[in-house]
Amino acid sequence: MRIVHISAECYPVAKAGGLGDVVGSLPRFQKESGHDTAVIMPMYRTPFLYKNEWEVVHKSNTNLGHWFFDYTIIRDRTSVLGFDLYLVDINGLLDREKVYGYNDDTERFCAFQIAVVHWINTWELLPDIVHVHDHHTGLIPFMMQHTYAFKRLEAIPSVLTIHNAQYQGSFGWEKTLYLPQWDSWKRGMLEWKGSINPLASGIKCAWKVTTVSHSYLDELKVSSNGLEDLFEYEKGKCSGILNGIDYKVWAPAHDPYLTEHFTIENAVKGKKNNKEILCSRFGLDPHKPLFVFIGRLVGEKGADLLPQVIIDSFEHIGRKMNFLILGSGESQTEDQLNSMKSISNNDYNVFIGYNEALSHSMYAGADFLLMPSRVEPCGLNQMYSMRYGTIPLVRKTGGLKDTVIDMGEKNGYGITFLHASVGDITHAIYRAVEVYEQKDVFRKMSKKIMDLDFSWDKSAGDYISLYNSFL
Ligand code: ADP
């Protein structure tokens, strides 16, 4: 099968979150199981670009409304990621260091999508499946089916995977000219609540829609930033496929970001060494349990609750634990977390920013990982943490609910709580400290979670079955 993934992120080329991890690993599994798999993404100016060898495979021009632009497609010569990787260069729009966060993101991703479809339209051998991810590529199914210029692509099945429905990329109708010409009665296939909504359009036009966990799909019908009715209406073509994690990248036995490697057999010693390195770097006490948070400091992740949770834990449970936070996001939360360094008694620290290496050290060196998310489509952190023997404390929502079973339940192995509230999270921390103090229970649990299987093996097969249903 000839599968083409189109995405704004793909690790290690460019990553801002879980989307990058998934698009960096799922295609490799598909390639390894014998499918001709490619990823097409923007050519940002990230370090990966300068470290690899590339060849130009296509040059052309097209237009974004009245603006005519040249685009170039380059291909990774060595297929170092295990699949064919194509980058789309558009000068003035995509040649930036960051993936998102610019005022002209609408123009950037519209132009990217138009260039990709324009290029695919020139292929002699068309793909069997076009798989798009999130709103940045959500207009592609519409363009393939409803624009005159790309009529040739109409019969290609398309799949949209939703990694996060909070972000939908909406823009006003005054920008409708950006899209190649289409019949005006198709307007409804682009619109949601008065705007052009790329995510909604993807849901309407893709042949199938997947979300990255079963529970997240159920939740979207009730709460999805305005798309609830659409998810309910389109439920017949939606399904949940849980993300896997890449065991080649996330492997405590040979993770290049770690100096102290370990397996289940020597996990106690290995984790202790990693914890000591981490604690000494951040001025923490290695004898106390170490709770970490890694992620975007946004309301979705419940990050705004962390300052009060830490204060309450110290006050009510006692200064029996350390906290270390890694993340960036809302400035108010960043400032609060930064200013709390002053209350640290060798038991609190924070690193504001994005740091891939540090995240690996934290998964390896921590005892517990906090995920008090209000919304969590799948969540990868809890799976990474378990791979590294770090017990997750998660709110029962979305993918967290599908991957973590509370220790109190049969065959349980983590700590779960119901509400994204300071009280519930602090209570979970209290339970964790109790577990930590029973050394045998704690060590057994830490080894047990390392042995769970969160690999792509099953989920990658579910995607192939979905594609096969079209063929
Ligand atoms: P998201 O909603 O952000 O995509 P996921 O749990 O799906 O959440 O994926 C988050 C990914 O991003 C994980 O690989 C996590 O380790 C990584 N990550 C998030 N924030 C940071 C950070 N500040 N530094 C390093 N890695 C981070």
Side-chain angles (χ1 to χ4, degrees), residues 142-158:
F142 174 85
M143 285 197 262
M144 287 166 58
Q145 277 169 45
H146 301 300
T147 56
Y148 298 122
F150 304 125
K151 184 112 188 93
R152 184 170 167 248
L153 309 180
E154 191 182 25
I156 303 175
S158 54

Side-chain angles (χ1 to χ4, degrees), residues 131-239:
H131 192 150
V132 301
H133 299 264
D134 277 351
H135 76 81
H136 329 96
T137 52
L139 293 170
I140 289 177
F142 174 85
M143 285 197 262
M144 287 166 58
Q145 277 169 45
H146 301 300
T147 56
Y148 298 122
F150 304 125
K151 184 112 188 93
R152 184 170 167 248
L153 309 180
E154 191 182 25
I156 303 175
S158 54
V159 175
L160 164 69
T161 293
I162 300 176
H163 301 255
N164 194 333
Q166 292 300 109
Y167 306 97
Q168 300 168 5
S170 289
F171 54 91
W173 279 101
E174 70 283 359
K175 295 185 175 175
T176 181
L177 265 185
Y178 285 175
L179 295 171
Q181 222 191 340
W182 42 279
D183 243 344
S184 57
W185 67 270
K186 304 269 175 68
R187 184 183 163 109
M189 302 309 274
L190 285 172
E191 177 164 304
W192 192 253
K193 301 201 168 161
S195 303
I196 296 180
N197 183 317
L199 191 71
S201 173
I203 297 169
K204 293 177 188 191
C205 300
W207 290 32
K208 289 277 182 193
V209 175
T210 66
T211 59
V212 289
S213 72
H214 298 276
S215 293
Y216 185 51
L217 179 56
D218 294 339
E219 289 168 13
L220 288 174
K221 290 177 206 148
V222 183
S223 168
S224 52
N225 205 6
L227 298 184
E228 300 77 14
D229 292 342
L230 184 60
F231 278 107
E232 181 59 37
Y233 183 75
E234 297 285 10
K235 65 182 173 199
K237 66 171 169 182
C238 297
S239 58

Side-chain angles (χ1 to χ4, degrees), residues 15-19 21 163-164 243 250 294-296 300-301 326-328 351-359 363 371 375-382 384:
K15 165 178 164 184
L19 168 64
D21 286 336
H163 301 255
N164 194 333
N243 285 337
W250 299 94
I294 300 165
R296 293 179 291 121
E300 234 183 280
K301 301 282 177 195
L326 163 64
S328 60
F351 183 104
I352 300 292
Y354 188 93
N355 190 321
E356 191 70 32
L358 176 56
S359 75
Y363 290 120
M371 288 188 82
V375 183
E376 196 58 81
C378 174
L380 295 168
N381 303 18
Q382 80 282 15
Y384 298 148

